[in-house]
Amino acid sequence: MSGELDFVARDTRVKRLDRAFRWPGGRHVAVILNLAYEAWSDGKAPGVGPMGNPLPAGAFDTNALSWGHYGVARGIDRLLRKLDRHQARASVMTSGVLAERTPAVLKRMVDAGHEIVAHSWAQDVIPATLTLEQVKSDIDRTTQAIESVSGKRPVGWISPRGTPSRDGSRLLIDAGYLWQGDVFDDERPYIQTCENGRIVAIPLTMEINDLPHAMRFGRSPRDFVTLFDDLLANVLAAEEESVIIDVTAHCHVFGRPNGAWAYEAIVKTVMGRDDVHVATREEIADYVLKTSG
């Protein structure tokens, strides 16, 4: 750990890993396989959809709603099969409402060894837009719902859009969380210390993420694989400090046949290497705390 402290909002202290930090086995590259298993509240639709022409103001986007439901209807099963084929475990960002709608899926994920990451109650529940009491209520509701059907209490949290409340870390510590992923200012974890305890901040790196890749930039699944292969090769060859590479597939985006093969190709690559540390976010947090004292 470095001796330098960075001070951020809400009396939170930040302590970052130093240049000598390495992943298990002396590796300096860790890969996290992520899935985003998301849903929207009743009467809400995704803000992003496959159609380029906007609807008139006030019109409900039934197209985007149906498109977003694909992850529940088909995408999650396909991507879990891809992971199981290679005995790979993922960190699955899961909307709390899906504990009510698809309880068997959450139980199956835990039984297969995947980590369920609390992802707010629904995609339209963004902590930065809520009051303090609403954020606390959302954390409690989401946590309890996931635990009640999966049999395991989530220890990690990532907000929709990665946009937390300014009090997010403190509230997650109160709720017993080990780590949170609402940070984008590093490529390796660090420790946040608040007046009520500490929590590991694990940045969600965005370079290999299907949502901006396909929906914002219009790139192909083949580009997704090439982008990962180029990033991994260059990081292994040139980076001297430890980094994380996130590989993220949304069940309603790359859960479809055209994208799922690309996600599986990356899974196969990393599971076949011994110079890359593949881990869930919970395992990353545990290792950081263990090695940092």
Side-chain angles (χ1 to χ4, degrees), residues 163-226:
T163 309
S165 159
R166 291 186 65 200
D167 295 287
S169 292
R170 179 173 59 81
L171 297 177
L172 290 170
I173 291 168
D174 279 344
Y177 276 81
L178 176 71
W179 67 267
Q180 59 93 359
D182 291 334
V183 291
F184 303 88
D185 58 341
D186 209 331
E187 58 278 333
R188 56 181 177 266
Y190 53 88
I191 294 176
Q192 294 178 323
T193 301
C194 305
E195 76 280 359
N196 59 334
R198 66 179 183 172
I199 191 168
V200 181
I202 306 177
L204 181 64
T205 63
M206 298 294 290
E207 289 80 8
I208 315 296
N209 186 308
D210 64 335
L211 191 61
H213 179 91
M215 302 304 296
R216 180 179 300 168
F217 301 120
R219 298 173 180 148
S220 73
R222 188 169 300 281
D223 291 335
F224 193 71
V225 177
T226 300

Side-chain angles (χ1 to χ4, degrees), residues 70 78 214 219-222 253-263:
Y70 185 91
R78 177 174 289 112
R219 298 173 180 148
S220 73
R222 188 169 300 281
V253 184
F254 269 18
R256 301 166 195 266
N258 192 45
W261 75 263
Y263 186 75

Side-chain angles (χ1 to χ4, degrees), residues 145-159:
I146 291 173
E147 182 179 18
S148 68
V149 302
S150 72
K152 184 175 180 181
R153 187 177 180 86
V155 298
W157 178 283
I158 297 177
S159 300

Side-chain angles (χ1 to χ4, degrees), residues 47 58 68 95 109 125 135 142 166 169 216 222 253-254 269 290:
S95 301
M109 290 192 294
V125 182
V135 175
T142 302
R166 291 186 65 200
S169 292
R216 180 179 300 168
R222 188 169 300 281
V253 184
F254 269 18
T269 293
K290 181 179 72 175

